[in-house]
Amino acid sequence: RSLKLLAEGGQLAAAIATAHPDAKVEKVPGSNGDFIVTADNKEVWNKLAHPERRFPDHSEILSLIGSNA
């Protein structure tokens, strides 16, 4: 797996690494309130595109990553 976290995602990166030890997690600085998570080049979360414009719970991201496996 190749995962990218755009913006601050230290705790989420740790949760992903624990759940998916073979994953390569990359944190990329964002701007303008970005928080984007991609898995295998597919966007699984975009804070600014979400109807509530919120950060995800770790469990949401882990579930979305699992469903894109």
Side-chain angles (χ1 to χ4, degrees):
R1 302 224 77 135
S2 174
L3 299 124
K4 287 188 181 178
L5 305 176
L6 181 58
E8 192 97 14
Q11 291 178 349
L12 180 55
I16 293 169
T18 298
H20 300 276
D22 60 330
K24 176 186 171 217
V25 179
E26 178 182 356
K27 295 186 288 182
V28 180
S31 63
N32 301 318
D34 288 334
F35 189 87
I36 300 169
V37 179
T38 62
D40 296 331
N41 296 316
K42 295 178 188 171
E43 189 173 283
V44 295
W45 187 275
N46 183 329
K47 179 187 137 198
L48 298 179
H50 191 278
E52 298 172 14
R53 295 179 72 109
R54 65 177 178 82
F55 287 98
D57 293 329
H58 293 180
S59 61
E60 289 176 291
I61 294 300
L62 294 175
S63 175
L64 290 168
I65 291 170
S67 68
N68 281 320

